Amino acid sequence: MSEIVPPEVRPKPVVPAKPSHVAPHSSGPFVPSPQGTGGEGRGSALLGYIGIDTIIEQMRKKTMKTGFDFNIMVVGQSGLGKSTLVNTLFKSQVSRRTTSWSRDEKIPKTVEIKSVSHVIEEGGVKMKLTVVDTPGFGDQINNENCWEPISKYINEQYEKFLKEEVNIARKKRIPDTRVHCCLYFISPTGHSLRQLDIEFMKHLSRVVNIIPVIAKSDTLTLDEKTEFKQRVRKELEACGIECYPQKEFDEDMEDKSDNDKIREAMPFAVVGSDKEYQVNGKRVLGRKTAWGVVEVENPNHCEFSLLRDFMIRSHLQDLKEVTHNIHYETYRAKRLNDNGASGGNRKNTD
């Protein structure tokens, strides 16, 4: 009888170490779960570090090199501090002052669209910020359909992007002039929304991300402010107006929980100022009144910091994605469908 030869013992493969320059990941090794037709696949632990988590660092480096665009539109009557608020949001003079008219200057008879762009850099990240202003909106005796030039401008930016996108030899990076966010300024009357406010938001919420704010909220008492905010929310709901962030675009329960808090806080009661004052030994942005200084970034005084954190620090990328994936895609599908239908009609005629 021949001897039984034991199987050859192979040495275990050396597990590659994680590069020292990659930050540790707290969630542990990635476990792949292949999907089969018969149900859920069985996952297996990786033998060593692959480097999947470095994609975040790669994206960060690319963004720092190329920068990104963010286009914000401000809409509201003259004198509500639109330019001041935008300058306060970005802590620089990024918006023209169009709220005060000199004696020689006439208030425009129709709504004008004016835009100004600046490159802002912070922490090595460059952002091309474009502020689109709408002087003349709501300043006439008859404001019927004064939202139409604004709607036209927004759609023209979608059209420009679409034309670049369908070119055979298109640019590597298409210039993005689409409006990612529209700050709508509500007058601090303390009563209710005007018909103009309702008409504007009803028509424009279908094509752009609208964020309503109560301008110069320091003119209201705390009780008046609370009641006015509740009344505005009820009116918007009664008219079927859904502002950003829209409920239908919540991706998961965590998203819904975060966005519900934002929706409950709307409209944001804000105060803007680019002037500094000394308060308790600190320099703060604020508005000086007869009884003291209204601190812009103090959450006990107004909701400016809540608006800034929401719009810039937590939802800026989402504003861009909803613009591209929802509003622009809706416009694009309609335009391509219209072109296809008109092409079919011409063919039938021939």
Side-chain angles (χ1 to χ4, degrees):
M1 185 181 291
S2 59
E3 289 186 15
I4 297 173
V5 181
E8 182 185 353
V9 179
R10 295 183 179 179
K12 282 187 176 182
V14 178
V15 175
K18 187 174 185 177
S20 58
H21 66 276
V22 178
H25 201 283
S26 58
S27 60
F30 171 71
V31 180
S33 300
Q35 298 296 317
T37 54
E40 290 186 7
R42 243 175 33 182
S44 59
L46 299 176
L47 294 174
Y49 179 72
I50 297 176
I52 297 169
D53 55 356
T54 62
I55 186 66
I56 305 299
E57 180 63 15
Q58 294 171 44
M59 291 165 69
R60 189 186 74 85
K61 284 182 177 178
K62 190 168 184 181
T63 302
M64 289 183 74
K65 280 183 183 177
T66 60
F68 65 97
D69 301 305
F70 186 60
N71 309 316
I72 179 172
M73 174 180 272
V74 289
V75 181
Q77 277 183 297
S78 299
L80 291 180
K82 301 187 294 294
S83 300
T84 302
L85 183 72
V86 173
N87 290 340
T88 312
L89 275 170
F90 296 98
K91 296 195 172 180
S92 54
Q93 297 293 323
V94 293
S95 180
R96 291 194 190 99
R97 291 186 177 275
T98 57
T99 54
S100 56
W101 307 97
S102 65
R103 291 180 181 178
D104 300 328
E105 199 174 4
K106 291 182 180 178
I107 295 175
K109 291 182 179 179
T110 56
V111 178
E112 297 177 357
I113 309 291
K114 293 182 178 180
S115 66
V116 58
S117 298
H118 295 271
V119 175
I120 299 175
E121 187 170 351
E122 184 181 49
V125 179
K126 291 179 182 178
M127 176 176 77
K128 183 186 175 185
L129 173 69
T130 299
V131 180
V132 184
D133 200 356
T134 55
F137 177 85
D139 293 333
Q140 311 304 318
I141 296 172
N142 181 6
N143 290 301
E144 189 179 358
N145 297 336
C146 67
W147 50 267
E148 287 183 346
I150 298 170
S151 177
K152 183 184 176 206
Y153 175 86
I154 291 169
N155 285 323
E156 281 173 352
Q157 308 320 302
Y158 291 148
E159 184 66 23
K160 278 169 69 174
F161 196 89
L162 177 60
K163 282 181 178 176
E164 289 287 351
E165 201 175 46
V166 297
N167 279 341
I168 296 172
R170 64 182 180 184
K171 296 172 184 174
K172 185 179 178 182
R173 190 180 176 203
I174 300 173
D176 190 1
T177 59
R178 297 170 298 179
V179 178
H180 301 122
C181 169
C182 173
L183 280 179
Y184 186 77
F185 287 69
I186 299 167
S187 185
T189 61
H191 302 301
S192 60
L193 291 172
R194 298 172 303 162
Q195 189 59 35
L196 173 63
D197 301 327
I198 293 169
E199 285 299 313
F200 177 88
M201 287 190 271
K202 188 181 286 185
H203 287 92
L204 272 293
S205 60
R206 301 167 189 162
V207 295
V208 71
N209 298 317
I210 291 181
I211 299 175
V213 298
I214 299 171
K216 296 187 175 180
S217 65
D218 54 325
T219 60
L220 300 170
T221 66
L222 292 176
D223 288 341
E224 286 172 341
K225 193 190 300 179
T226 302
E227 289 173 13
F228 189 38
K229 281 164 66 76
Q230 288 174 350
R231 199 173 297 122
V232 169
R233 281 198 295 271
K234 284 179 182 177
E235 285 185 84
L236 291 175
E237 189 177 348
C239 296
I241 298 167
E242 200 169 7
C243 298
Y244 177 87
Q246 299 89 335
K247 289 180 182 177
E248 60 186 300
F249 305 143
D250 292 343
E251 293 182 358
D252 50 41
M253 289 308 294
E254 184 185 359
D255 229 23
K256 183 181 183 303
S257 176
D258 292 342
N259 289 340
D260 277 346
K261 291 173 187 174
I262 293 163
R263 287 187 278 260
E264 286 165 12
M266 283 187 176
F268 297 102
V270 297
V271 176
S273 175
D274 47 15
K275 292 181 180 177
E276 285 190 339
Y277 295 95
Q278 194 87 11
V279 177
N280 298 326
K282 291 192 302 182
R283 300 291 294 176
V284 298
L285 287 170
R287 271 164 53 93
K288 195 169 186 179
T289 65
W291 53 89
V293 175
V294 180
E295 298 173 41
V296 169
E297 296 178 288
N298 186 336
N300 295 319
H301 291 193
C302 75
E303 294 169 341
F304 169 83
S305 56
L306 188 61
L307 170 67
R308 178 201 57 206
D309 292 352
F310 153 60
M311 202 175 90
I312 300 172
R313 300 181 183 181
S314 67
H315 282 66
L316 190 148
Q317 180 59 28
D318 190 64
L319 282 162
K320 288 169 64 68
E321 286 178 4
V322 171
T323 299
H324 181 76
N325 297 331
I326 308 298
H327 298 306
Y328 170 67
E329 276 301 313
T330 302
Y331 177 86
R332 177 178 173 275
K334 185 177 183 303
R335 283 285 287 114
L336 295 179
N337 186 54
D338 289 348
N339 286 348
S342 60
N345 290 338
R346 281 197 301 270
K347 191 174 180 182
N348 291 336
T349 306
D350 294 342

